[in-house]
Amino acid sequence: MPKTPLFKTSAPRALGQVLLLTAGLVVSQGGAFCSQAVAQVAPPPGSASPAAAKAPLPRAWDDARLSPDERADLVLAKMTLHEKLQLTFGYFSTQSDKPASGVKNFELPKEGLPASAGFVPGVPRLGVPNQWLSDAGMGVASQQSKTPRLRTSLPSGMAVASTWNPELARKGGAMIGNEAFLSGFNVLLAGALNLVREPRNGRNFEYAGEDPLLAGMIAGNQIKGVQSQNVISTMKHFAFNGQETRRTTIDHKIDEQAARQSDLLAFEIAHEVGQPGSVMCAYNRVNGFYACENDWLLNQVLKRDWGFKGYVMSDWGATHSTTQAANAGLDQQSGWPFDRSPYFADALREAVNNGYVSEARADDMARRILRAMFAAGLFDKRVNGDASATIDYGVHAAVTQAAAEEGIVLLKNTAGLLPLSKRSRSILIVGNHADIGVLSGGGSSQVYAHGSPTNGMIVPNEGPSGFPGPKVYHPSSPMKALQARTSATVTYLDGKDVQAAAAAAARADVVIVFAEQWLGESADARNLDLPGEQNALIAAVADANKNSVVVLQTGGPVIMPWLPKVGAVLEAWYPGTSGGEAIARILTGQVNPSGRLPVTFPAATGQLPRPAIEGLGTMDPNGHPTSNYDVDGAAVGYKWFDKTGAKPLFPFGYGLSYTSFDMGGLTVKAEGRGLQARVVVRNTGPVRGKAVVQIYVSGQGWEAPRRLGGFSKVDLKPGEKRAVTVPIDPRLLATFDVEGRTWRITGGGYQVTLASSASDPIQSVNVDLPASSFVQGPADVRP
Ligand code: BGC
């Protein structure tokens, strides 16, 4: 499969060169000969300039008692059109050695922070701060650089979703928001939640799984955490950016009802929970229109129906027009010079002057950006350059470790192989640098670990040198962390010699094979197999020693042909900068695993709605690649498996523990327009552990037999018993009425099921619900 990396490190810099936008394809800029000089802006507050020396006069909008709307209106009233539109145009902020555009005359913004995603000049005359933008959801990232900033990385988004613990997601968001702020950034491009429609999608590791409720709750809480730190968070990539293959041209077709009940519902929930200041529209087209000039997505669904008050920023290179994009709801063009033209610079001023874009709309664009800045506190607590020396890395290591520990999923554990027996005398660790570190995912979200020698590159020269590389391992050694917790002799082999690994395995008490799947932005996995010889290596080792444990570090689901042979399997995802400690603590039983899969693990690609990745074959009459999301529609992930009767390798919601739980006593009562389930959970095993109560609901005429209706994680000591109440959002009992733009619950019988995964029901009760319709979530209900 051809990879299509986006060479974002190829920021144009010199005349006479060419901007690479899609790998393999050199995209020339088609005659558009434009020059865009970076606006001159005041130095950041606190810098030693004459302007900063004078204390600014208090302005009406400095009054924090006023609402963000009032404050935004007060500033707006003082702004010229030029100043308003200055806010709508952002720059990429990374210098690069790669070939640069010959046609764009890009100058790196002088006040941008190096190797960062973006910069938007403020309006010093009025005290409007600059916007300094950084990626992304795992922490403060750096674009490819010889001297990246070194920070704390959370585990991957998929790992955080595996915790089924929104509170941990919020804490993680607050931690990375704090590092962003202290690194001089006030906009963090975190909050990614495209539903996993394609398990081979190269960016699944950044997202929050396949279920709208789980993904919405996890990402929404992360956004909330980021924004608690005076940093705007984004919600992205809006919407249906379900694969990387041909991501900048593909047109995803989907029926509106299915759209509202799947990916859009995830975003709707995240929006309600997190109130993101910004939303990033995606690269792809949706139903014929680019996401960044898609009136239905931006104006109708997001702004009108959900009441989104912030601003829409484009993905880097996802703006394609001036008038159409502005009128369809795009508020800020990002990352110049990624696009063909600086559509929202001079051209937008001209469009407003000519009346193609109304002045009211220009005001709306600027007001939305200002409002988001006020709401997140960007005026009140201003970033002050690089204060990273004051980051409390010790406290942050504990935050990422807690997320990694709750995100690790125990998939198999035969005869109590885990936790490792204290009687083991020799432990052999095999493969993938587990002696020195843990893997991370590639692309714009790449964080380089704090405390790492050699600028974050403990394993140089693996993986691609260009985007989405480099392939980065964080210096948190599972082997050293294990050695610190066992009296056994622990040895390491890289596993390249399969025979030697099998021979050594035969001599060890226990073998732990670290297997990996490295994924990165801009390319999808070719298939669901572990790459290279890893399947053969695991099979050979397991043949030699039945006490074989496999620790997976993958971006998403993989197929496991060796599963019957091995004793235990842990899915550790990309576990972040304290991942080695987290893995060792789970292996030794210091921590009881409590992760549950946020995504179905298929048994074979033939079970998927799209056995081959779309976009490589079919073209529409205009030559655009297309994909048909109506095949699965709203039946994403486990819903597709349920609907088609396919048996997955591991179902959504699945995960084992070192203890056992007894769950039952399900009762259900009406609560608002939705329901509330009550369940009693008891820890019946020997150790403390966390159970995840999962409540599924079934109704007539739905996309699939059941939906996750609610969930709750509960921490129990041995023998402890607790009653848990789980609210069920009424939208999960409804279908979306496209004509009336309302959610509708059909009167009649529904089934509510307590389960330990999407495939493991425990107890069901039937309830009758009256007919109702409502516009939004649990509140705001129309009879
Ligand atoms: C990605 C975004 C990212 C942006 C800025 C794009 O390629 O799709 O997720 O925030 O670059 O780096």
Side-chain angles (χ1 to χ4, degrees):
M1 167 152 335
K3 304 222 180 220
T4 55
L6 170 79
F7 281 81
K8 66 177 42 211
T9 48
S10 56
R13 164 165 91 83
L15 220 61
Q17 293 173 308
V18 179
L19 175 66
L20 294 175
L21 273 181
T22 16
L25 298 174
V26 177
V27 182
S28 84
Q29 298 310 302
F33 204 100
C34 13
S35 126
Q36 177 62 36
V38 179
Q40 290 304 307
V41 291
S47 61
S49 76
K54 276 194 248 150
L57 294 173
R59 301 169 167 112
W61 52 86
D62 289 335
D63 185 349
R65 289 167 306 180
L66 300 175
S67 71
D69 293 291
E70 289 167 326
R71 297 173 78 183
D73 277 338
L74 285 168
V75 195
L76 198 67
K78 300 282 184 215
M79 289 170 91
T80 64
L81 179 65
H82 183 92
E83 287 167 340
K84 289 171 192 168
L85 296 186
Q86 186 163 302
L87 300 183
T88 67
F89 188 72
Y91 301 84
F92 190 44
S93 186
T94 297
Q95 192 62 278
S96 164
D97 306 333
K98 289 265 163 49
S101 169
V103 292
K104 291 182 179 172
N105 195 20
F106 170 67
E107 287 176 36
L108 197 69
K110 289 188 185 53
E111 292 184 73
L113 293 171
S116 73
F119 177 78
V120 183
V123 183
R125 181 179 80 84
L126 301 171
V128 177
N130 298 332
Q131 293 167 58
W132 284 276
L133 285 64
S134 173
D135 285 295
M138 272 68 77
V140 181
S142 290
Q143 300 280 329
Q144 247 192 16
S145 157
K146 289 196 176 71
T147 53
R149 45 185 74 70
L150 305 179
R151 298 291 182 268
T152 309
S153 175
L154 287 169
S156 64
M158 184 76 94
V160 175
S162 297
T163 67
W164 292 59
N165 187 340
E167 181 52 17
L168 271 186
R170 192 196 56 74
K171 284 188 182 149
M175 184 273 279
I176 62 174
N178 177 257
E179 292 204 3
F181 187 87
L182 294 176
S183 304
F185 295 105
N186 52 13
V187 180
L188 191 60
L189 307 171
L193 73 152
N194 296 88
L195 285 195
V196 179
R197 282 181 179 270
E198 171 50 74
R200 291 157 292 198
N201 178 0
R203 294 188 90 173
N204 281 340
F205 73 91
E206 293 187 55
Y207 302 148
E210 67 188 23
D211 179 76
L213 177 68
L214 180 64
M217 292 298 292
I218 293 292
N221 275 283
Q222 183 185 46
I223 291 166
K224 201 188 218 173
V226 170
Q227 294 196 155
S228 70
Q229 301 298 309
N230 303 93
V231 172
I232 291 174
S233 190
T234 27
M235 180 169 91
K236 68 187 190 184
H237 306 88
F238 196 67
F240 301 100
N241 189 177
Q243 63 179 57
E244 293 296 281
T245 304
R246 301 234 157 121
R247 66 176 176 173
T248 58
T249 49
I250 197 161
D251 185 10
H252 294 293
K253 306 273 186 205
I254 185 157
D255 159 79
E256 175 158 359
Q257 186 186 52
R260 295 275 198 160
Q261 292 173 196
S262 57
D263 301 51
L264 293 183
L265 180 55
F267 282 113
E268 185 176 351
I269 293 171
H271 170 246
E272 279 165 20
V273 172
Q275 299 287 307
S278 65
V279 166
M280 186 190 291
C281 50
Y283 283 123
N284 49 283
R285 293 174 164 92
V286 182
N287 291 334
F289 296 93
Y290 279 114
C292 291
E293 51 188 46
N294 195 310
D295 180 72
W296 168 64
L297 274 181
L298 305 183
N299 281 337
Q300 298 179 38
V301 174
L302 178 67
K303 292 183 177 175
R304 181 194 62 194
D305 294 352
W306 300 348
F308 172 62
K309 290 188 167 159
Y311 62 101
V312 177
M313 66 163 78
S314 62
D315 202 340
W316 275 227
T319 307
H320 298 275
S321 61
T322 302
T323 305
Q324 188 172 341
N327 289 335
L330 178 64
D331 302 302
Q332 188 180 69
Q333 177 180 3
S334 308
W336 172 254
F338 272 80
D339 292 304
R340 287 188 173 217
S341 274
Y343 297 106
F344 276 28
D346 293 345
L348 182 56
R349 268 187 287 281
E350 214 168 296
V352 176
N353 286 333
N354 292 336
Y356 288 109
V357 173
S358 69
E359 280 192 40
R361 173 66 186 125
D363 280 356
D364 177 49
M365 296 163 86
R367 186 187 292 111
R368 285 173 172 280
I369 296 165
L370 291 164
R371 189 201 180 275
M373 292 168 89
F374 280 115
L378 269 59
F379 278 74
D380 302 330
K381 189 167 172 207
R382 292 172 184 247
V383 280
N384 197 3
D386 184 3
S388 56
T390 63
I391 292 174
D392 192 338
Y393 289 107
V395 168
H396 292 185
V399 175
T400 183
Q401 188 173 321
E405 286 170 1
E406 282 207 25
I408 292 173
V409 187
L410 178 61
L411 294 174
K412 179 174 179 183
N413 194 14
T414 310
L417 178 55
L418 292 180
L420 295 171
S421 161
K422 295 208 169 33
R423 288 194 299 276
S424 301
R425 320 245 353 169
S426 57
I427 299 173
L428 172 68
I429 291 185
V430 183
N432 290 314
H433 310 292
D435 53 336
I436 54 170
V438 291
L439 186 60
S440 64
S444 61
S445 65
Q446 183 71 61
V447 178
Y448 296 81
H450 169 73
S452 126
T454 56
N455 280 322
M457 296 303 297
I458 55 168
V459 180
N461 310 322
E462 253 193 42
S465 57
F467 195 80
K471 182 181 182 192
V472 176
Y473 290 84
H474 295 318
S476 176
S477 159
M479 177 169 166
K480 286 198 187 112
L482 188 57
Q483 277 167 331
R485 290 171 172 81
T486 176
S487 53
T489 309
V490 185
T491 47
Y492 175 78
L493 281 179
D494 66 15
K496 286 184 182 138
D497 181 340
V498 174
Q499 299 311 322
R507 295 190 297 268
D509 288 343
V510 180
V511 191
I512 308 173
V513 184
F514 281 76
E516 68 169 36
Q517 174 206 44
W518 181 72
L519 292 179
E521 176 182 343
S522 77
D524 295 321
R526 281 162 210 270
N527 51 46
L528 292 175
D529 295 326
L530 286 170
E533 301 307 309
Q534 296 182 93
N535 282 338
L537 171 69
I538 297 170
V541 165
D543 280 339
N545 189 332
K546 67 177 176 22
N547 291 337
S548 291
V549 180
V550 177
V551 176
L552 294 165
Q553 294 180 82
T554 68
V558 287
I559 287 169
M560 306 175 204
W562 35 260
L563 188 62
K565 294 177 192 267
V566 302
V569 182
L570 279 181
E571 175 56 89
W573 310 109
Y574 304 145
T577 43
S578 296
E581 292 286 308
I583 291 169
R585 274 160 55 88
I586 296 268
L587 286 170
T588 54
Q590 254 179 305
V591 172
N592 188 351
S594 65
R596 301 287 182 270
L597 293 179
V599 67
T600 306
F601 274 47
T605 42
Q607 297 176 320
L608 301 175
R610 283 164 287 281
I613 292 178
E614 285 193 295
L616 296 171
T618 347
M619 299 285 175
D620 74 9
N622 300 317
H624 306 144
T626 59
S627 100
N628 183 6
Y629 279 175
D630 284 329
V631 172
D632 39 347
V636 179
Y638 64 91
K639 295 169 185 163
W640 173 260
F641 278 73
D642 265 2
K643 180 177 163 171
T644 57
K647 193 173 169 342
L649 185 63
F650 293 109
F652 172 83
Y654 179 82
L656 304 172
S657 168
Y658 296 153
T659 189
S660 51
F661 300 102
D662 184 35
M663 296 200 236
L666 173 67
T667 56
V668 180
K669 65 170 191 169
E671 166 93 351
R673 291 291 153 148
L675 294 170
Q676 189 191 78
R678 186 177 179 279
V679 173
V680 179
V681 192
R682 195 155 76 92
N683 182 345
T684 52
V687 288
R688 180 176 175 170
K690 292 183 182 173
V692 178
V693 175
Q694 300 172 42
I695 304 290
Y696 292 83
V697 288
S698 308
Q700 297 295 316
W702 290 1
E703 68 279 358
R706 65 188 64 84
R707 301 169 174 167
L708 180 71
F711 61 93
S712 180
K713 195 163 194 179
V714 45
D715 186 4
L716 296 169
K717 297 193 194 76
E720 191 181 348
K721 182 167 106 170
R722 180 115 34 97
V724 181
T725 52
V726 182
I728 297 168
D729 188 310
R731 284 168 294 201
L732 293 161
L733 298 160
T735 50
F736 192 80
D737 171 4
V738 173
E739 286 285 286
R741 298 205 332 264
T742 55
W743 292 96
R744 251 180 225 296
I745 295 181
T746 312
Y750 290 77
Q751 191 176 62
V752 178
T753 301
L754 165 67
S756 58
S757 84
S759 302
D760 298 296
I762 296 168
Q763 189 189 354
S764 292
V765 299
N766 294 325
V767 289
D768 272 328
L769 285 174
S772 65
S773 73
F774 50 92
V775 183
Q776 278 185 356
D780 196 9
V781 174
R782 269 189 234 153

